[in-house]
Amino acid sequence: MLDVSSLNAGYGSFQALFDININVNAGEAVAVIGPNGAGKTTLMRAISGLIPVNDGKIHMEGTDVIRTPSHDIVKLGIAHVPEHRRLFPRMSVEDNLRMGAFSPQFRANFQNRLNFVYSLFPKMQERRNQYAGTMSGGEQQMCAIGRALMSDPKILLMDEPSAGLAPVIVQQVFELIKKIKNEGLTVLIVEQNVKQVLKVVDRAYIIEAGSLKMEGTSAELLNSKEVQKAYLGM
Amino acid sequence: MAEFTESLFSIFFIETLMNGLLLGGILALLSIGLNLIFGVIDVVWICYAEIIMVGMYLIFYLNNDLGFHIIPSMIAGILFSGLVGWLTHKIVISRLIDAAPINQLIATGGLLFFFQGAAMIVFGIEFRNMGMSLGSLALSEDIYLSWTRLLSFAISGVIVVGLYFFLSKSYLGAAIRAISQDKEIMSLMGVDTKKLYLLTSAIGGALAGLAACLLVLQYDVHPFIGLSFGPITFIICVMGGLGNMVGGFVAAFIFSELITIGGYFAEIEWGYVLAFVFFIVMMFIRPEGLFARKS
């Protein structure tokens, strides 16, 4: 579904990603893991068109999206849950969700999607009139995921969904991701919490210092000596 | 003291309070457009009052020189001011959108002089008056309220209520509120931020045009008319908390009452002094504005 090949990207003269190749098939959950500053967020931002790509290809279902402006990417079925959630804090939960379905092509389906998100996260329905900024971190993450789901995406990009959350809440967030995966949605997730994320996804890529180091199924990576030593503290 | 107390209960004082209320309507309308633009785009248009001046000239020219009826002249004034707002963003602000705020201020400050200069070249420095009066409404033998001010007040009210519903109920309005909170994320929502900025600028300009329609009935038009209400508009926005529509609305009425009450006890100039002193004191007490959110 999503193919990234020979991708080089960065900020200005600083190159953050070197020759990255990853692909995600329909129905799969794939993780990109690696230490802080490895370029994981840059990869997500490049796919969503938030930063220009120097070189390489990004194909979504065969369409080249490298020159597509970010506000048109979502229309191709790519929804992005950004790092730190980035909700609109002084807007109600429901208005935040409404923004997720802003494009005219999604508006007609707004009520259906809203019902879907509320059935997935009943808590969001309880809180629908509350300001998003006043909720707890875990609830905000629910809202951010719900907002991305409003456009009925084919693939969900999740950037560090567990970052900055208390351990108990992290557990809940991974439960959410499992739930979304079970809905049949394709997911590409960037995480530092390697142990947890490998329990949820099918495959993973490891990037370090902007380059691809390793890839494999979750089982392979969990059993790899190298991964155990570097990421699982064993 | 007795004299003072007596003056407080005088019929003229009541008239003063009502006039303050009516003036507040106009000031509120003036501040709405500037606040909207600041709230959404995070840029202060120093030249906002000059766009009103341009609108006033156009209405005056169409009506007085070309002989069009006042209503189509006003509609043209609103549309043209909207266009000027659109162009201001398209030509100037969009190039400076990521620049330091001071650069944006200097650029819109430059536009202020551009508009003044252009008006001087085209129309000269004479004061021009529409020579139009809608008369006054006599509430009693002693209380008279100008119809123009009543009309301005009513229109301001309608605009404020309309804008409130637009911002709180429509998709576009919600997007305008959202973009002021997080611009980058809006593009992930499928919103073309450049287009939304242009639309906001056009709405802001059109609101300046609407203010021009009401001001042209009450004041002479001249190239420097913007200076007589530009600063006060800006101060009202700052006092309400820049970008905070409700705050700006309330601040407009506080200001207008201070001006008219000062004018009642002394001269109208003292009213302005009172209002500005109040502003300065408030800036020490609540620098983030009267109704700033606690963040």
Side-chain angles (χ1 to χ4, degrees):
Chain A
M1 179 181 276
L2 181 72
D3 287 288
V4 176
S5 51
S6 320
L7 183 74
N8 290 287
Y11 303 90
S13 59
F14 171 72
Q15 190 170 349
L17 293 173
F18 302 88
D19 197 31
I20 297 287
N21 295 285
I22 65 166
N23 73 297
V24 185
N25 301 313
E28 257 189 325
V30 174
V32 175
I33 54 190
N36 235 339
K40 306 187 297 295
T41 293
T42 312
L43 172 65
M44 296 300 231
R45 293 169 67 84
I47 295 170
S48 283
L50 290 177
I51 54 164
V53 164
N54 304 343
D55 191 24
K57 289 193 174 68
I58 301 174
H59 283 272
M60 173 66 186
E61 296 186 311
T63 317
D64 186 8
V65 300
I66 224 130
R67 300 273 166 258
T68 310
S70 54
H71 60 262
D72 286 333
I73 295 271
V74 64
K75 293 168 192 156
L76 297 169
I78 302 178
H80 187 147
V81 184
E83 195 178 12
H84 308 308
R85 306 173 274 281
R86 301 282 286 273
L87 293 174
F88 305 110
R90 294 184 306 279
M91 284 171 79
S92 68
V93 167
E94 193 153 309
D95 274 346
N96 268 274
L97 296 176
R98 191 182 298 277
M99 287 298 98
F102 180 82
S103 299
Q105 70 196 83
F106 303 135
R107 277 182 218 177
N109 217 3
F110 171 72
Q111 202 54 48
N112 285 335
R113 294 307 297 171
L114 193 67
N115 294 340
F116 170 73
V117 169
Y118 283 161
S119 67
L120 205 57
F121 308 133
K123 197 148 210 177
M124 291 299 102
Q125 186 160 21
E126 281 168 36
R127 306 252 155 152
R128 65 182 190 277
N129 293 322
Q130 191 177 331
Y131 269 12
T134 62
M135 296 194 298
S136 72
E139 289 164 346
Q140 290 195 19
Q141 191 63 57
M142 261 183 217
C143 187
I145 295 171
R147 185 175 67 178
L149 292 175
M150 288 300 291
S151 61
D152 198 4
K154 293 170 184 153
I155 182 168
L156 192 64
L157 310 182
M158 298 174 91
D159 196 348
E160 301 254 12
S162 77
L165 299 179
V168 191
I169 309 295
V170 168
Q171 202 62 44
Q172 291 173 8
V173 166
F174 282 105
E175 290 300 321
L176 291 181
I177 297 166
K178 224 182 263 174
K179 219 169 176 178
I180 289 158
K181 185 179 176 282
N182 291 340
E183 290 288 328
L185 204 72
T186 311
V187 178
L188 177 63
I189 176 170
V190 151
E191 256 298 336
Q192 284 194 65
N193 197 328
V194 176
K195 200 172 172 180
Q196 293 277 6
V197 79
L198 285 180
K199 284 189 204 158
V200 176
V201 297
D202 304 305
R203 289 190 298 123
Y205 295 86
I206 297 182
I207 58 176
E208 280 172 18
S211 304
L212 213 54
K213 274 278 143 26
M214 222 196 260
E215 60 174 286
T217 64
S218 301
E220 281 168 7
L221 292 172
L222 279 168
N223 291 323
S224 140
K225 283 268 176 305
E226 226 174 307
V227 173
Q228 285 181 354
K229 206 172 140 207
Y231 293 101
L232 302 175
M234 287 196 240
Chain B
M1 193 62 207
E3 204 178 307
F4 179 77
T5 329
E6 197 177 300
S7 71
L8 273 184
F9 293 100
S10 134
I11 195 95
F12 297 109
F13 188 65
I14 295 169
E15 188 188 20
T16 301
L17 290 181
M18 292 177 99
N19 269 320
L21 202 64
L22 297 184
L23 177 66
I26 296 180
L27 294 181
L29 182 64
L30 288 175
S31 65
I32 287 171
L34 189 63
N35 246 337
L36 179 73
I37 291 161
F38 180 82
V40 173
I41 312 176
D42 212 7
V43 167
V44 177
W45 284 12
I46 297 290
C47 60
Y48 190 74
E50 276 58 39
I51 296 178
I52 300 176
M53 179 265 290
V54 170
M56 287 169 81
Y57 263 119
L58 186 78
I59 296 165
F60 179 85
Y61 181 70
L62 289 176
N63 179 251
N64 199 69
D65 296 21
L66 298 185
F68 285 99
H69 189 267
I70 187 71
I71 299 296
S73 303
M74 284 180 167
I75 291 169
I78 293 171
L79 293 177
F80 185 74
S81 302
L83 178 69
V84 172
W86 189 88
L87 287 171
T88 300
H89 189 84
K90 183 85 183 164
I91 296 173
V92 181
I93 303 297
S94 67
R95 284 157 221 274
L96 296 169
I97 202 79
D98 295 317
I102 186 71
N103 294 9
Q104 300 166 341
L105 280 179
I106 291 170
T108 57
L111 275 178
L112 181 157
F113 293 112
F114 169 78
F115 287 132
Q116 277 185 357
M120 251 193 295
I121 291 167
V122 178
F123 297 101
I125 56 163
E126 296 87 14
F127 283 45
R128 288 155 195 267
N129 192 295
M130 291 274 269
M132 213 181 210
S133 174
L134 299 180
S136 302
L137 170 72
L139 281 184
S140 76
E141 236 171 87
D142 293 313
I143 301 184
Y144 289 90
L145 297 173
S146 130
W147 268 116
T148 319
R149 284 192 164 185
L150 278 168
L151 190 68
S152 308
F153 182 76
I155 290 176
S156 299
V158 169
I159 293 298
V160 168
V161 172
L163 206 64
Y164 173 79
F165 279 105
F166 168 69
L167 288 174
S168 60
K169 302 288 175 216
S170 74
Y171 259 100
L172 213 53
I176 282 177
R177 281 183 293 141
I179 201 170
S180 64
Q181 297 178 32
D182 197 328
K183 172 189 167 195
E184 188 185 59
I185 293 311
M186 281 313 274
S187 60
L188 294 181
M189 307 288 117
V191 176
D192 186 343
T193 52
K194 285 187 185 124
K195 269 193 203 160
L196 197 57
Y197 281 175
L198 281 169
L199 177 75
T200 307
S201 299
I203 295 174
L207 286 170
L210 190 67
C213 296
L214 301 172
L215 290 170
V216 81
L217 294 172
Q218 305 176 49
Y219 298 96
D220 293 340
V221 191
H222 58 93
F224 306 104
I225 181 87
L227 294 179
S228 52
F229 43 77
I232 197 159
T233 306
F234 181 66
I235 278 170
I236 285 168
C237 290
V238 172
M239 211 163 83
L242 261 171
N244 180 343
M245 304 262 181
V246 179
F249 190 71
V250 176
F253 285 97
I254 294 176
F255 250 72
S256 64
E257 288 295 349
L258 284 175
I259 291 168
T260 46
I261 290 171
Y264 174 70
F265 286 110
E267 277 125 46
I268 195 76
E269 285 72 20
W270 279 109
Y272 280 92
V273 171
L274 184 68
F276 281 88
V277 166
F278 177 71
F279 170 70
I280 292 167
V281 171
M282 282 315 294
M283 281 300 99
F284 282 112
I285 302 170
R286 286 191 69 94
E288 61 295 317
L290 280 178
F291 305 95
R293 299 175 200 94
K294 291 172 193 77
S295 55

